[in-house]
Amino acid sequence: MQYFKNTLFNTANSRFAGGANILTTTFSMPVSTRKIINDPVYGFISITDPLIYKITTHTCYQRLRRIYQMALAHLVYPGAVHTRFHHSLGAYHLMCNALGELSSKGIEITREEEVAAKAAILLHDIGHGPFSHALENILLKGIHHETLSLHIMRLLNEEFGGELQMAIDIFTDKYPKRFLHQLVSGQLDVDRMDYLTRDSFFTGVSEGVIGYDRIIKMMAVKNGELLVEEKGIYSIEKFLVARRLMYWQVYLHKTVLVAEKMLIKIVERVRALGARESSTLLTGTSLDFFLFEFDGKMDEEAIRNFVILDDMDFMHGIKTWSKHPDQVLSVLCQGILDRKLLKIKLQAEPFIKDLVQQKLKQACQRLSLTNEEAGYFVFTGEAVNTMYKTSDERINILFKDGIIKDISQVDNALIHNTLSSTVKKFYICYYE
């Protein structure tokens, strides 16, 4: 228990942490104490358990206040400035509602299981780094945010004296009551229900509105698996359609896409320059460690630097690098700061090589770059969106006669033919 407190979070010897001890004091909270948070989406969210309170007041969790939920989507939708902190609290609220609904239908959920499931959903995104999915597998190559979440949960479990063990078992799908894991991570989990509802609210994109309350009301459990009652079929189909629309209209919006690709190019350029000389690129934050020193191992030093890393560190780097003598880096960074983004085109077929070469030549001429340097401003790729993968865990519908069918097998199901297919779009980003 003391290892996490005294070693990982005591950063007095860390050159990136400025000598500050970032471990918050372990809080004690009377069982009768009740905290209320006013959320713009759901109204009041209540915290009534001491363990939940300890999680939400911990420095690792508070870090989520400084990570945008939707990365650079606010460059298109100015209201999309909500954070992972907002989202995790919203998912917690929906988990509370779902557990209450299932309990009212006679599903046995103990007090310990209830708290553990709530803790698991609160911590499910604690492993996100700066700009969430936009830089995932870029700053920390080959490491998924859920892997990082599990690392941090296990260390918090040591600090909390084993109080998070059941939450970890639920998170990793090792707990016997599988429906608890499905509520945390599944085709119809409260994570997805909140981010669709919340992202729709803050972007103003009404196509993302779902009937989360009705979906929760229609939930059931049979043989330990999460199901949806027959009466909820249309709400489920609306949920799946809304998710697909939100991906193309918001998450994979072409301007959001090009802005996030520019973030990746910035990291690539910084590392390319740092291979020769990193002294002019240092930010004085924990970001330096993951840009120049991280070897892929989530050891003590990596965790210590990760739990204080957030969007502010990366934005500080962008502001610093916008004045760097390297033209490639400075132009990319200034483009993010001033919203002077690369142009982007999307189409159903791959772009021909002649067009790519033409755009490369134009970039070379306009910015006085070599062909290699122009590659940071002209590049192609593909964006993929699959609304419902029948090969993954499925959404099962419970009919009145006890028969269970996957949503894609329901008669006249909306997703049966087209919405279960993968949609792929090819893009080219270029300087103009």
Side-chain angles (χ1 to χ4, degrees), residues 47 51-53 55-56 61 64 84-85 88-93 117-126:
I47 294 175
L51 177 59
I52 301 302
Y53 182 78
I55 292 171
T56 57
Y61 187 80
L64 298 181
R84 290 280 158 185
F85 181 87
S88 61
L89 282 175
Y92 160 82
H93 174 73
K118 293 176 183 178
I121 197 63
L122 273 176
L123 294 169
H124 80 284
D125 272 351
I126 202 165

PDB file of all heavy atoms in Angstrom, residues 47 51-53 55-56 61 64 84-85 88-93 117-126:
ATOM      1  N   ILE A  47     -22.682  11.429  -4.748  1.00  0.00           N
ATOM      2  CA  ILE A  47     -21.619  10.537  -4.286  1.00  0.00           C
ATOM      3  C   ILE A  47     -21.899  10.233  -2.824  1.00  0.00           C
ATOM      4  O   ILE A  47     -21.936  11.138  -1.986  1.00  0.00           O
ATOM      5  CB  ILE A  47     -20.237  11.193  -4.444  1.00  0.00           C
ATOM      6  CG1 ILE A  47     -19.922  11.389  -5.943  1.00  0.00           C
ATOM      7  CG2 ILE A  47     -19.152  10.355  -3.778  1.00  0.00           C
ATOM      8  CD1 ILE A  47     -18.638  12.138  -6.205  1.00  0.00           C
ATOM      9  N   LEU A  51     -15.398   5.196  -0.670  1.00  0.00           N
ATOM     10  CA  LEU A  51     -14.429   4.794  -1.687  1.00  0.00           C
ATOM     11  C   LEU A  51     -14.593   5.640  -2.944  1.00  0.00           C
ATOM     12  O   LEU A  51     -13.597   6.087  -3.539  1.00  0.00           O
ATOM     13  CB  LEU A  51     -14.599   3.312  -2.028  1.00  0.00           C
ATOM     14  CG  LEU A  51     -13.669   2.782  -3.142  1.00  0.00           C
ATOM     15  CD1 LEU A  51     -12.203   2.966  -2.772  1.00  0.00           C
ATOM     16  CD2 LEU A  51     -13.980   1.321  -3.451  1.00  0.00           C
ATOM     17  N   ILE A  52     -15.815   5.887  -3.342  1.00  0.00           N
ATOM     18  CA  ILE A  52     -16.064   6.721  -4.530  1.00  0.00           C
ATOM     19  C   ILE A  52     -15.536   8.127  -4.287  1.00  0.00           C
ATOM     20  O   ILE A  52     -14.943   8.753  -5.171  1.00  0.00           O
ATOM     21  CB  ILE A  52     -17.569   6.755  -4.865  1.00  0.00           C
ATOM     22  CG1 ILE A  52     -18.086   5.344  -5.132  1.00  0.00           C
ATOM     23  CG2 ILE A  52     -17.828   7.663  -6.060  1.00  0.00           C
ATOM     24  CD1 ILE A  52     -17.375   4.612  -6.249  1.00  0.00           C
ATOM     25  N   TYR A  53     -15.715   8.612  -3.078  1.00  0.00           N
ATOM     26  CA  TYR A  53     -15.208   9.946  -2.739  1.00  0.00           C
ATOM     27  C   TYR A  53     -13.682   9.981  -2.809  1.00  0.00           C
ATOM     28  O   TYR A  53     -13.093  10.933  -3.324  1.00  0.00           O
ATOM     29  CB  TYR A  53     -15.688  10.324  -1.339  1.00  0.00           C
ATOM     30  CG  TYR A  53     -15.258  11.714  -0.909  1.00  0.00           C
ATOM     31  CD1 TYR A  53     -15.914  12.843  -1.374  1.00  0.00           C
ATOM     32  CD2 TYR A  53     -14.179  11.895  -0.043  1.00  0.00           C
ATOM     33  CE1 TYR A  53     -15.531  14.110  -0.987  1.00  0.00           C
ATOM     34  CE2 TYR A  53     -13.780  13.160   0.355  1.00  0.00           C
ATOM     35  CZ  TYR A  53     -14.465  14.270  -0.118  1.00  0.00           C
ATOM     36  OH  TYR A  53     -14.069  15.525   0.257  1.00  0.00           O
ATOM     37  N   ILE A  55     -11.758   8.180  -4.659  1.00  0.00           N
ATOM     38  CA  ILE A  55     -11.348   8.139  -6.064  1.00  0.00           C
ATOM     39  C   ILE A  55     -11.479   9.514  -6.702  1.00  0.00           C
ATOM     40  O   ILE A  55     -10.544  10.016  -7.345  1.00  0.00           O
ATOM     41  CB  ILE A  55     -12.200   7.110  -6.836  1.00  0.00           C
ATOM     42  CG1 ILE A  55     -11.872   5.694  -6.369  1.00  0.00           C
ATOM     43  CG2 ILE A  55     -11.962   7.251  -8.350  1.00  0.00           C
ATOM     44  CD1 ILE A  55     -12.811   4.630  -6.929  1.00  0.00           C
ATOM     45  N   THR A  56     -12.632  10.150  -6.535  1.00  0.00           N
ATOM     46  CA  THR A  56     -12.895  11.413  -7.234  1.00  0.00           C
ATOM     47  C   THR A  56     -12.050  12.568  -6.712  1.00  0.00           C
ATOM     48  O   THR A  56     -11.878  13.567  -7.408  1.00  0.00           O
ATOM     49  CB  THR A  56     -14.384  11.791  -7.130  1.00  0.00           C
ATOM     50  OG1 THR A  56     -14.770  11.876  -5.750  1.00  0.00           O
ATOM     51  CG2 THR A  56     -15.260  10.776  -7.846  1.00  0.00           C
ATOM     52  N   TYR A  61      -7.261  11.148 -10.500  1.00  0.00           N
ATOM     53  CA  TYR A  61      -8.582  11.371 -11.077  1.00  0.00           C
ATOM     54  C   TYR A  61      -8.774  12.844 -11.421  1.00  0.00           C
ATOM     55  O   TYR A  61      -9.354  13.177 -12.461  1.00  0.00           O
ATOM     56  CB  TYR A  61      -9.662  10.901 -10.101  1.00  0.00           C
ATOM     57  CG  TYR A  61     -11.047  10.930 -10.690  1.00  0.00           C
ATOM     58  CD1 TYR A  61     -11.483   9.908 -11.527  1.00  0.00           C
ATOM     59  CD2 TYR A  61     -11.913  11.989 -10.439  1.00  0.00           C
ATOM     60  CE1 TYR A  61     -12.746   9.937 -12.093  1.00  0.00           C
ATOM     61  CE2 TYR A  61     -13.180  12.025 -10.994  1.00  0.00           C
ATOM     62  CZ  TYR A  61     -13.590  10.994 -11.817  1.00  0.00           C
ATOM     63  OH  TYR A  61     -14.839  11.038 -12.380  1.00  0.00           O
ATOM     64  N   LEU A  64      -7.981  14.279 -14.860  1.00  0.00           N
ATOM     65  CA  LEU A  64      -8.910  14.171 -15.981  1.00  0.00           C
ATOM     66  C   LEU A  64      -9.610  15.489 -16.286  1.00  0.00           C
ATOM     67  O   LEU A  64     -10.158  15.663 -17.376  1.00  0.00           O
ATOM     68  CB  LEU A  64      -9.945  13.072 -15.709  1.00  0.00           C
ATOM     69  CG  LEU A  64      -9.400  11.650 -15.551  1.00  0.00           C
ATOM     70  CD1 LEU A  64     -10.536  10.668 -15.302  1.00  0.00           C
ATOM     71  CD2 LEU A  64      -8.588  11.229 -16.774  1.00  0.00           C
ATOM     72  N   ARG A  84     -12.559  14.640 -19.777  1.00  0.00           N
ATOM     73  CA  ARG A  84     -12.698  13.255 -19.329  1.00  0.00           C
ATOM     74  C   ARG A  84     -13.274  13.188 -17.919  1.00  0.00           C
ATOM     75  O   ARG A  84     -13.935  12.211 -17.560  1.00  0.00           O
ATOM     76  CB  ARG A  84     -11.337  12.568 -19.361  1.00  0.00           C
ATOM     77  CG  ARG A  84     -10.813  12.312 -20.754  1.00  0.00           C
ATOM     78  CD  ARG A  84     -11.428  11.090 -21.383  1.00  0.00           C
ATOM     79  NE  ARG A  84     -11.327  11.124 -22.836  1.00  0.00           N
ATOM     80  CZ  ARG A  84     -11.869  10.222 -23.647  1.00  0.00           C
ATOM     81  NH1 ARG A  84     -12.566   9.219 -23.132  1.00  0.00           N
ATOM     82  NH2 ARG A  84     -11.758  10.330 -24.958  1.00  0.00           N
ATOM     83  N   PHE A  85     -13.044  14.209 -17.139  1.00  0.00           N
ATOM     84  CA  PHE A  85     -13.619  14.294 -15.794  1.00  0.00           C
ATOM     85  C   PHE A  85     -15.143  14.336 -15.884  1.00  0.00           C
ATOM     86  O   PHE A  85     -15.839  13.583 -15.192  1.00  0.00           O
ATOM     87  CB  PHE A  85     -13.081  15.546 -15.100  1.00  0.00           C
ATOM     88  CG  PHE A  85     -13.568  15.751 -13.692  1.00  0.00           C
ATOM     89  CD1 PHE A  85     -12.905  15.167 -12.623  1.00  0.00           C
ATOM     90  CD2 PHE A  85     -14.676  16.540 -13.432  1.00  0.00           C
ATOM     91  CE1 PHE A  85     -13.346  15.366 -11.313  1.00  0.00           C
ATOM     92  CE2 PHE A  85     -15.124  16.744 -12.135  1.00  0.00           C
ATOM     93  CZ  PHE A  85     -14.455  16.153 -11.074  1.00  0.00           C
ATOM     94  N   SER A  88     -16.480  10.836 -17.169  1.00  0.00           N
ATOM     95  CA  SER A  88     -16.439   9.720 -16.218  1.00  0.00           C
ATOM     96  C   SER A  88     -17.495   9.870 -15.131  1.00  0.00           C
ATOM     97  O   SER A  88     -18.093   8.885 -14.689  1.00  0.00           O
ATOM     98  CB  SER A  88     -15.044   9.587 -15.603  1.00  0.00           C
ATOM     99  OG  SER A  88     -14.682  10.756 -14.903  1.00  0.00           O
ATOM    100  N   LEU A  89     -17.750  11.108 -14.706  1.00  0.00           N
ATOM    101  CA  LEU A  89     -18.820  11.333 -13.734  1.00  0.00           C
ATOM    102  C   LEU A  89     -20.187  11.021 -14.342  1.00  0.00           C
ATOM    103  O   LEU A  89     -21.071  10.472 -13.671  1.00  0.00           O
ATOM    104  CB  LEU A  89     -18.795  12.781 -13.232  1.00  0.00           C
ATOM    105  CG  LEU A  89     -17.732  13.129 -12.191  1.00  0.00           C
ATOM    106  CD1 LEU A  89     -17.764  14.624 -11.897  1.00  0.00           C
ATOM    107  CD2 LEU A  89     -17.943  12.336 -10.903  1.00  0.00           C
ATOM    108  N   GLY A  90     -20.363  11.379 -15.616  1.00  0.00           N
ATOM    109  CA  GLY A  90     -21.621  11.076 -16.281  1.00  0.00           C
ATOM    110  C   GLY A  90     -21.837   9.582 -16.423  1.00  0.00           C
ATOM    111  O   GLY A  90     -22.947   9.074 -16.217  1.00  0.00           O
ATOM    112  N   ALA A  91     -20.773   8.852 -16.795  1.00  0.00           N
ATOM    113  CA  ALA A  91     -20.868   7.397 -16.906  1.00  0.00           C
ATOM    114  C   ALA A  91     -21.160   6.778 -15.540  1.00  0.00           C
ATOM    115  O   ALA A  91     -21.925   5.808 -15.434  1.00  0.00           O
ATOM    116  CB  ALA A  91     -19.570   6.829 -17.483  1.00  0.00           C
ATOM    117  N   TYR A  92     -20.569   7.332 -14.497  1.00  0.00           N
ATOM    118  CA  TYR A  92     -20.846   6.890 -13.116  1.00  0.00           C
ATOM    119  C   TYR A  92     -22.331   7.067 -12.799  1.00  0.00           C
ATOM    120  O   TYR A  92     -22.974   6.175 -12.220  1.00  0.00           O
ATOM    121  CB  TYR A  92     -19.980   7.688 -12.151  1.00  0.00           C
ATOM    122  CG  TYR A  92     -20.464   7.709 -10.721  1.00  0.00           C
ATOM    123  CD1 TYR A  92     -20.192   6.651  -9.851  1.00  0.00           C
ATOM    124  CD2 TYR A  92     -21.191   8.800 -10.229  1.00  0.00           C
ATOM    125  CE1 TYR A  92     -20.648   6.669  -8.540  1.00  0.00           C
ATOM    126  CE2 TYR A  92     -21.635   8.828  -8.916  1.00  0.00           C
ATOM    127  CZ  TYR A  92     -21.372   7.769  -8.081  1.00  0.00           C
ATOM    128  OH  TYR A  92     -21.821   7.791  -6.780  1.00  0.00           O
ATOM    129  N   HIS A  93     -22.889   8.212 -13.178  1.00  0.00           N
ATOM    130  CA  HIS A  93     -24.303   8.482 -12.916  1.00  0.00           C
ATOM    131  C   HIS A  93     -25.193   7.455 -13.620  1.00  0.00           C
ATOM    132  O   HIS A  93     -26.146   6.930 -13.030  1.00  0.00           O
ATOM    133  CB  HIS A  93     -24.648   9.888 -13.391  1.00  0.00           C
ATOM    134  CG  HIS A  93     -26.103  10.225 -13.316  1.00  0.00           C
ATOM    135  ND1 HIS A  93     -26.756  10.462 -12.117  1.00  0.00           N
ATOM    136  CD2 HIS A  93     -27.049  10.358 -14.296  1.00  0.00           C
ATOM    137  CE1 HIS A  93     -28.021  10.736 -12.349  1.00  0.00           C
ATOM    138  NE2 HIS A  93     -28.226  10.674 -13.663  1.00  0.00           N
ATOM    139  N   ALA A 117     -18.580  -1.726  -9.122  1.00  0.00           N
ATOM    140  CA  ALA A 117     -18.951  -1.390 -10.498  1.00  0.00           C
ATOM    141  C   ALA A 117     -18.877   0.115 -10.722  1.00  0.00           C
ATOM    142  O   ALA A 117     -18.423   0.576 -11.775  1.00  0.00           O
ATOM    143  CB  ALA A 117     -20.357  -1.903 -10.806  1.00  0.00           C
ATOM    144  N   LYS A 118     -19.288   0.883  -9.723  1.00  0.00           N
ATOM    145  CA  LYS A 118     -19.207   2.341  -9.829  1.00  0.00           C
ATOM    146  C   LYS A 118     -17.751   2.799  -9.874  1.00  0.00           C
ATOM    147  O   LYS A 118     -17.397   3.708 -10.628  1.00  0.00           O
ATOM    148  CB  LYS A 118     -19.932   2.987  -8.651  1.00  0.00           C
ATOM    149  CG  LYS A 118     -21.441   2.782  -8.655  1.00  0.00           C
ATOM    150  CD  LYS A 118     -22.077   3.370  -7.393  1.00  0.00           C
ATOM    151  CE  LYS A 118     -23.577   3.113  -7.351  1.00  0.00           C
ATOM    152  NZ  LYS A 118     -24.198   3.645  -6.111  1.00  0.00           N
ATOM    153  N   ALA A 119     -16.906   2.169  -9.071  1.00  0.00           N
ATOM    154  CA  ALA A 119     -15.482   2.516  -9.069  1.00  0.00           C
ATOM    155  C   ALA A 119     -14.844   2.173 -10.413  1.00  0.00           C
ATOM    156  O   ALA A 119     -14.024   2.931 -10.948  1.00  0.00           O
ATOM    157  CB  ALA A 119     -14.764   1.782  -7.943  1.00  0.00           C
ATOM    158  N   ALA A 120     -15.233   1.027 -10.979  1.00  0.00           N
ATOM    159  CA  ALA A 120     -14.664   0.598 -12.263  1.00  0.00           C
ATOM    160  C   ALA A 120     -15.000   1.588 -13.376  1.00  0.00           C
ATOM    161  O   ALA A 120     -14.136   1.925 -14.194  1.00  0.00           O
ATOM    162  CB  ALA A 120     -15.176  -0.801 -12.623  1.00  0.00           C
ATOM    163  N   ILE A 121     -16.232   2.088 -13.405  1.00  0.00           N
ATOM    164  CA  ILE A 121     -16.601   3.021 -14.467  1.00  0.00           C
ATOM    165  C   ILE A 121     -15.970   4.389 -14.230  1.00  0.00           C
ATOM    166  O   ILE A 121     -15.608   5.084 -15.178  1.00  0.00           O
ATOM    167  CB  ILE A 121     -18.136   3.121 -14.624  1.00  0.00           C
ATOM    168  CG1 ILE A 121     -18.499   3.753 -15.974  1.00  0.00           C
ATOM    169  CG2 ILE A 121     -18.757   3.908 -13.484  1.00  0.00           C
ATOM    170  CD1 ILE A 121     -18.058   2.959 -17.173  1.00  0.00           C
ATOM    171  N   LEU A 122     -15.802   4.781 -12.992  1.00  0.00           N
ATOM    172  CA  LEU A 122     -15.125   6.052 -12.717  1.00  0.00           C
ATOM    173  C   LEU A 122     -13.688   6.035 -13.222  1.00  0.00           C
ATOM    174  O   LEU A 122     -13.175   7.039 -13.705  1.00  0.00           O
ATOM    175  CB  LEU A 122     -15.126   6.339 -11.208  1.00  0.00           C
ATOM    176  CG  LEU A 122     -16.325   7.073 -10.610  1.00  0.00           C
ATOM    177  CD1 LEU A 122     -16.173   7.159  -9.100  1.00  0.00           C
ATOM    178  CD2 LEU A 122     -16.470   8.475 -11.205  1.00  0.00           C
ATOM    179  N   LEU A 123     -13.047   4.875 -13.128  1.00  0.00           N
ATOM    180  CA  LEU A 123     -11.628   4.769 -13.456  1.00  0.00           C
ATOM    181  C   LEU A 123     -11.367   4.224 -14.860  1.00  0.00           C
ATOM    182  O   LEU A 123     -10.209   4.058 -15.241  1.00  0.00           O
ATOM    183  CB  LEU A 123     -10.930   3.874 -12.427  1.00  0.00           C
ATOM    184  CG  LEU A 123     -10.892   4.432 -10.988  1.00  0.00           C
ATOM    185  CD1 LEU A 123     -10.423   3.350 -10.012  1.00  0.00           C
ATOM    186  CD2 LEU A 123      -9.975   5.648 -10.913  1.00  0.00           C
ATOM    187  N   HIS A 124     -12.408   3.967 -15.631  1.00  0.00           N
ATOM    188  CA  HIS A 124     -12.206   3.291 -16.919  1.00  0.00           C
ATOM    189  C   HIS A 124     -11.379   4.119 -17.895  1.00  0.00           C
ATOM    190  O   HIS A 124     -10.714   3.567 -18.767  1.00  0.00           O
ATOM    191  CB  HIS A 124     -13.554   2.913 -17.542  1.00  0.00           C
ATOM    192  CG  HIS A 124     -14.254   4.049 -18.231  1.00  0.00           C
ATOM    193  ND1 HIS A 124     -14.916   5.042 -17.534  1.00  0.00           N
ATOM    194  CD2 HIS A 124     -14.385   4.360 -19.547  1.00  0.00           C
ATOM    195  CE1 HIS A 124     -15.441   5.904 -18.394  1.00  0.00           C
ATOM    196  NE2 HIS A 124     -15.133   5.526 -19.619  1.00  0.00           N
ATOM    197  N   ASP A 125     -11.383   5.444 -17.750  1.00  0.00           N
ATOM    198  CA  ASP A 125     -10.629   6.309 -18.666  1.00  0.00           C
ATOM    199  C   ASP A 125      -9.433   6.980 -18.006  1.00  0.00           C
ATOM    200  O   ASP A 125      -8.851   7.899 -18.589  1.00  0.00           O
ATOM    201  CB  ASP A 125     -11.552   7.400 -19.235  1.00  0.00           C
ATOM    202  CG  ASP A 125     -12.271   6.959 -20.491  1.00  0.00           C
ATOM    203  OD1 ASP A 125     -11.927   5.881 -21.027  1.00  0.00           O
ATOM    204  OD2 ASP A 125     -13.189   7.670 -20.937  1.00  0.00           O
ATOM    205  N   ILE A 126      -9.038   6.527 -16.838  1.00  0.00           N
ATOM    206  CA  ILE A 126      -7.965   7.206 -16.121  1.00  0.00           C
ATOM    207  C   ILE A 126      -6.618   7.041 -16.832  1.00  0.00           C
ATOM    208  O   ILE A 126      -5.662   7.766 -16.556  1.00  0.00           O
ATOM    209  CB  ILE A 126      -7.878   6.701 -14.660  1.00  0.00           C
ATOM    210  CG1 ILE A 126      -7.185   7.746 -13.788  1.00  0.00           C
ATOM    211  CG2 ILE A 126      -7.215   5.334 -14.586  1.00  0.00           C
ATOM    212  CD1 ILE A 126      -7.352   7.519 -12.308  1.00  0.00           C
TER     213      ILE A 126
END
